[in-house]
């Protein structure tokens, strides 16, 4: 099934902070874009079947545009380098309609939002929504330096007292005390966190005693390293091919090297875009998408990061 991409034009590119640009996207022929809710993301098409997910940062009341913000990650898989290096105002991009895996519970009695670095993107969208609904919220926003913190001007226009900024460089290098924030949050608060792995780990640990339905996390990267410790053979049932995945290679690397172009997006094990049905063999699951029960069932796997525990893995590809 082909992906129903929307064709959008980059209306403008804006410097938001060190290594962070935002991109204002409009439908190529004008008009209203599909609606979205706070916490939603779109996938931007790169080359072939490759896409990258970016949170929408503008207010969900806006129907004429989507705004995404992209942090340049030199060590990443190349999506942010491509966007920073190549995408200019006036260019056309293909994006998927918005989807939301990080939903805001609008009726919560109180929302406590914690953002680190580029993790501010979905959180800023949530702040705008909660403000428009006049719901109680508090934001804790951590960045290495003020220059690296996006959307500070916009945030400074919101009521003082609701925004708590933590700048590592101004705190003798101390990182934000997530445990203290969670501890102080009211028992009925819904807690949200988006940011780097260390922040998310601290948050999950601190919030482990809270009701799971009140704890919301957005991952950019899987917690586990991708599987590449040993060699195995992957059999592609539809393509009738066998490919050797070498030690040191991920399954996705091996497929790309063999000239295949499987669907994928985050390539970090967090979005689910590369999910493939397993016909035979035992996957070595490394993703953040499947539940424990789904992992145990071994019916599907994320081929961007997961590997194989068995010598042969037969996939529905
Ligand atoms: S591409 Fe996102 S989980 Fe594999």
């Amino acid at each position: 099934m082909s992906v129903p991409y929307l064709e959008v034009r980059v209306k403008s590119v804006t410097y938001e902070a060190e290594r962070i640009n935002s991109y204002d996207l409009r439908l190529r022929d004008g008009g209203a874009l599909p609606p979205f809710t706070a916490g939603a993301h779109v996938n931007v098409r790169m080359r072939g079947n490759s896409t990258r997910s970016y949170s929408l940062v503008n207010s969900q009341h806006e129907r004429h545009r989507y705004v995404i913000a992209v942090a340049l990650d030199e060590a990443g898989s190349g999506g942010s380098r491509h966007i920073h290096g190549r995408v200019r105002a006036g260019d056309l991009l293909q994006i998927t309609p918005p989807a939301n895996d990080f939903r805001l519970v609008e009726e919560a009695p109180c929302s406590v939002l914690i953002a680190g670095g580029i993790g501010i993107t979905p959180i800023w969208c949530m702040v705008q929504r909660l403000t428009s609904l006049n719901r109680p919220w508090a934001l804790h926003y951590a960045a290495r330096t003020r220059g690296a913190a996006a959307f500070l001007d916009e945030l400074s226009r919101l009521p003082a007292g609701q925004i708590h900024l933590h700048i590592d460089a101004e705190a003798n290098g101390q990182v934000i005390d997530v445990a203290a924030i969670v501890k102080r949050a009211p028992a009925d608060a819904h807690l949200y966190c988006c940011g780097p792995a260390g922040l998310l780990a601290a948050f999950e640990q601190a919030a482990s005693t809270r009701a799971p339905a009140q704890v919301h996390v957005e991952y950019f990267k899987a917690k586990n390293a991708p599987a590449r410790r040993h060699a195995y053979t992957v059999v592609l049932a539809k393509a009738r091919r066998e490919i050797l995945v070498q030690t040191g290679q991920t399954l996705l690397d091996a497929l790309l090297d063999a000239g295949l172009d499987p669907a994928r997006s985050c390539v970090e094990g967090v979005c689910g875009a590369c999910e493939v049905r397993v016909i035979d063999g035992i996957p070595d699951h490394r993703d953040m998408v499947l539940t424990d029960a789904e992992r145990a069932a071994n019916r599907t796997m994320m081929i961007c990061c997961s590997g194989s525990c068995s010598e042969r893995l037969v996939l529905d590809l």
Side-chain angles (χ1 to χ4, degrees):
M1 198 174 76
S2 61
V3 182
Y5 286 109
L6 303 168
E7 194 156 44
V8 292
R9 191 177 297 284
V10 180
K11 168 100 165 113
S12 60
V13 181
T14 305
Y15 175 91
E16 298 290 355
E18 288 161 18
R19 307 163 79 81
I20 300 176
N21 289 341
S22 67
Y23 298 80
D24 179 326
L25 310 176
R26 313 284 175 107
L27 267 183
R28 176 188 180 145
D29 299 318
L33 287 153
F36 67 97
T37 51
H41 67 272
V42 293
N43 295 330
V44 178
R45 189 173 191 185
M46 302 288 160
R47 266 170 298 185
N49 270 335
S50 170
T51 61
R52 292 292 181 279
S53 296
Y54 297 104
S55 297
L56 297 176
V57 301
N58 56 313
S59 165
Q60 68 184 67
H61 295 298
E62 296 185 341
R63 294 291 309 278
H64 64 296
R65 65 175 188 157
Y66 297 146
V67 181
I68 59 172
V70 181
L72 177 62
D73 180 1
E74 295 288 4
S77 55
S80 68
R81 282 199 303 280
H82 173 79
I83 291 182
H84 271 248
R86 295 281 178 83
V87 175
R88 302 284 179 256
D91 286 354
L92 290 170
L93 295 176
Q94 288 187 311
I95 62 171
T96 58
N100 198 337
D101 306 319
F102 190 42
R103 290 185 171 277
L104 180 66
V105 179
E106 297 182 343
E107 60 280 9
C110 165
S111 299
V112 175
L113 309 134
I114 303 171
I118 190 63
I120 189 64
T121 49
I123 298 285
W124 168 224
C125 189
M126 289 176 168
V127 165
Q128 293 171 81
R129 178 62 176 166
L130 290 167
T131 302
S132 74
L133 293 173
N134 208 19
R135 305 294 303 174
W137 59 269
L139 168 66
H140 299 264
Y141 179 19
R144 288 179 289 102
T145 63
R146 270 173 205 272
F151 309 118
L152 279 190
D153 288 348
E154 291 87 340
L155 289 167
S156 69
R157 288 183 213 119
L158 294 171
Q162 283 176 265
I163 297 169
H164 309 273
L165 193 60
H166 179 96
I167 303 295
D168 297 354
E170 297 171 14
N172 293 324
Q174 290 280 347
V175 298
I176 189 169
D177 188 350
V178 175
I181 295 166
V182 172
K183 195 171 173 190
R184 283 198 303 271
D188 57 359
H190 276 246
L191 311 176
Y192 299 81
C193 188
C194 185
L199 178 75
L200 296 176
F203 173 75
E204 287 193 307
Q205 162 111 35
S208 59
T209 56
R210 299 272 175 153
Q214 291 173 225
V215 178
H216 312 272
V217 181
E218 173 95 314
Y219 280 93
F220 290 147
K221 292 187 177 195
K223 289 188 226 174
N224 310 311
R228 55 174 123 217
R229 282 255 170 105
H230 39 252
Y232 55 92
T233 299
V234 61
V235 180
L236 309 181
K238 281 186 190 145
R240 299 183 183 211
R241 289 183 64 180
E242 289 197 8
I243 294 166
L244 178 65
V245 183
Q246 318 241 27
T247 301
Q249 255 190 328
T250 64
L251 173 49
L252 178 61
D253 289 339
L255 296 177
L256 293 172
D257 285 355
L260 291 138
D261 186 21
R264 61 199 182 278
S265 179
C266 69
V267 295
E268 300 279 5
V270 295
C271 74
C274 66
E275 186 169 8
V276 168
R277 193 167 71 86
V278 178
I279 296 172
D280 197 17
I282 302 177
D284 178 359
H285 296 289
R286 302 294 179 98
D287 64 277
M288 301 289 297
V289 179
L290 298 178
T291 63
D292 289 346
E294 288 168 335
R295 284 161 185 253
N298 287 329
R299 288 201 190 92
T300 67
M301 66 182 291
M302 302 304 143
I303 58 168
C304 67
C305 60
S306 300
S308 181
C309 297
S310 50
E311 285 181 6
R312 280 169 73 81
L313 191 62
V314 185
L315 299 180
D316 187 22
L317 271 176

